[in-house]
Amino acid sequence: MMRFLVALLALIATPLAAQDSMPPAPYAYTQLQDPALEAEAVELMETLRCLKCQSQSIHDSDAPMAGDMRHQVRARLLAGESPDQIRAWLIQRYGDYVSYQPEVSATTWPLFAIPLLLLAIVGAILVRRLGRRRSDEGDAA
Amino acid sequence: MRLVYLVPLALFLFFAGLAGYMLTQPKDQNVPSQMIEQPLPDFALEPALEGMPGASRSDFVGGEPRLLNIWASWCLPCIAEAPHLERLKEEGVEIVGVAVRDTPQAVEGFLSRHGNPYSRIGSDDISELMLEIGASGVPETYVIDAEGNIRYQHIGDIRESDVPMLLEKLEEVR
């Protein structure tokens, strides 16, 4: 009987809250009054990476830290900073990691160079092949 | 057969090998701060509980190098590192605490259960200081030199083996 009771109790036990119980930051879940400014905020938040969850943007994430980052984005836009300034402020602290919009830098330049290189190779091959076919036709005529 | 036809196969083997190699590597999910060797940004945090001072940038200037410990009463690894912070305090290190998204009652409860190694505790309700110094979680510990510059970041809880290492870092930046 006792064992049954314990088992029953274990079923309804809630795990200890390993998360904080504080209310979120003012602008974590509250949109800005100005729709144009809020649109700018959303556009920026979609391209900033959540530091706790890492595969979500702070716009998608419900992690408390993502809420605090959204608060910073909205509060700073409201204070007159531009989205680029806010992104730069975060990159200065967390590196390229925090941005889903890579900028050309010492570590990211291959991202931009490799597609151009591939295009150049494809172009060279095409020019060679088409050029050869044309000269073949020329020979046949 | 022309050797050119082996190029796709070679590329495939290269990427398969790379993926296989990366699978054997331990995954590092930490996002290191880019603020190391930078001055501590300006901040002023309210006290996290009654009877103890809050924390601001000026508390890190002058005297000896200090530790800045970011923690929270709701954070389980913070319980594990509490005795090691106590050790550091016994070695004469000043530890300034920052409690993240915490209530005074919860902070008081944590300190009475796990000890209080802090000289002051600021309250960071909206991760303001965390974002300023490039911290991405709790707990994290920073070595701050006497000029108020961030010199070292330790991500995660302080283990017993980290205590001598942190003492060494503090000595290095003196």
Side-chain angles (χ1 to χ4, degrees):
Chain A
M1 185 62 199
M2 197 60 203
R3 203 175 282 175
F4 175 73
L5 268 180
V6 169
L8 204 67
L9 278 176
L11 271 181
I12 55 165
T14 44
L16 248 182
Q19 212 35 292
D20 57 288
S21 52
M22 290 288 285
Y27 282 118
Y29 291 95
T30 309
Q31 300 195 344
L32 294 169
Q33 291 275 316
D34 180 356
L37 214 53
E38 174 64 22
E40 259 182 62
V42 168
E43 198 184 329
L44 178 60
M45 292 186 301
E46 279 172 343
T47 61
L48 292 175
R49 190 177 198 167
C50 171
L51 296 161
K52 289 260 66 165
C53 15
Q54 306 198 348
S55 292
Q56 276 182 308
S57 73
I58 61 169
H59 185 63
D60 283 334
S61 172
D62 261 332
M65 183 110 189
D68 291 342
M69 288 168 79
R70 285 196 298 275
H71 171 80
Q72 289 291 333
V73 166
R74 289 194 173 111
R76 279 165 191 270
L77 278 175
L78 207 57
E81 280 185 41
S82 73
D84 284 342
Q85 275 174 315
I86 300 170
R87 186 191 303 281
W89 178 77
L90 279 167
I91 290 178
Q92 195 190 350
R93 279 152 181 78
Y94 295 99
D96 291 325
Y97 202 101
V98 75
S99 175
Y100 274 131
Q101 205 174 78
E103 280 161 31
V104 187
S105 74
T107 47
T108 60
W109 66 265
L111 277 180
F112 300 88
I114 288 174
L116 290 179
L117 190 70
L118 286 176
L119 272 180
I121 292 174
V122 168
I125 292 174
L126 275 180
V127 164
R128 255 187 68 186
R129 296 229 157 162
L130 293 180
R132 192 189 296 161
R133 187 178 298 168
R134 205 158 293 152
S135 63
D136 286 351
E137 283 165 7
D139 290 345
Chain B
M1 197 168 79
R2 285 174 64 189
L3 278 177
V4 181
Y5 294 133
L6 287 176
V7 168
L9 181 66
L11 275 176
F12 170 77
L13 286 177
F14 170 73
F15 283 112
L18 187 68
Y21 170 73
M22 291 311 278
L23 280 177
T24 66
Q25 297 302 299
K27 194 175 177 194
D28 182 9
Q29 288 201 322
N30 294 333
V31 187
S33 170
Q34 307 290 308
M35 294 295 282
I36 315 304
E37 303 301 332
Q38 303 283 329
L40 194 61
D42 213 8
F43 71 97
L45 297 174
E46 296 288 318
L49 77 167
E50 241 177 88
M52 273 189 85
S56 67
R57 186 182 194 280
S58 58
D59 300 325
F60 288 90
V61 183
E64 303 274 301
R66 297 168 182 81
L67 288 181
L68 169 61
N69 180 239
I70 295 183
W71 64 287
S73 68
W74 45 264
C75 135
L76 293 179
C78 297
I79 301 175
E81 77 171 1
H84 309 307
L85 283 174
E86 203 65 45
R87 258 286 313 283
L88 285 161
K89 182 197 171 191
E90 279 161 20
E91 297 283 338
V93 179
E94 183 183 344
I95 305 168
V96 176
V98 169
V100 178
R101 295 192 289 275
D102 230 326
T103 61
Q105 295 85 333
V107 167
E108 223 174 306
F110 184 96
L111 297 180
S112 65
R113 258 172 285 138
H114 307 291
N116 180 1
Y118 304 108
S119 63
R120 29 181 82 239
I121 307 178
S123 165
D124 194 1
D125 288 345
I126 53 171
S127 309
E128 230 173 334
L129 177 68
M130 283 185 75
L131 290 166
E132 275 293 355
I133 62 176
S136 48
V138 280
E140 280 189 17
T141 305
Y142 293 78
V143 174
I144 315 283
D145 69 18
E147 276 89 58
N149 299 308
I150 305 173
R151 300 300 292 273
Y152 181 76
Q153 175 194 31
H154 179 82
I155 299 179
D157 57 317
I158 296 170
R159 307 272 164 92
E160 198 173 355
S161 57
D162 296 323
V163 172
M165 180 273 293
L166 283 171
L167 286 172
E168 204 172 291
K169 294 276 178 202
L170 284 159
E171 192 59 40
E172 261 171 41
V173 305
R174 191 190 285 269

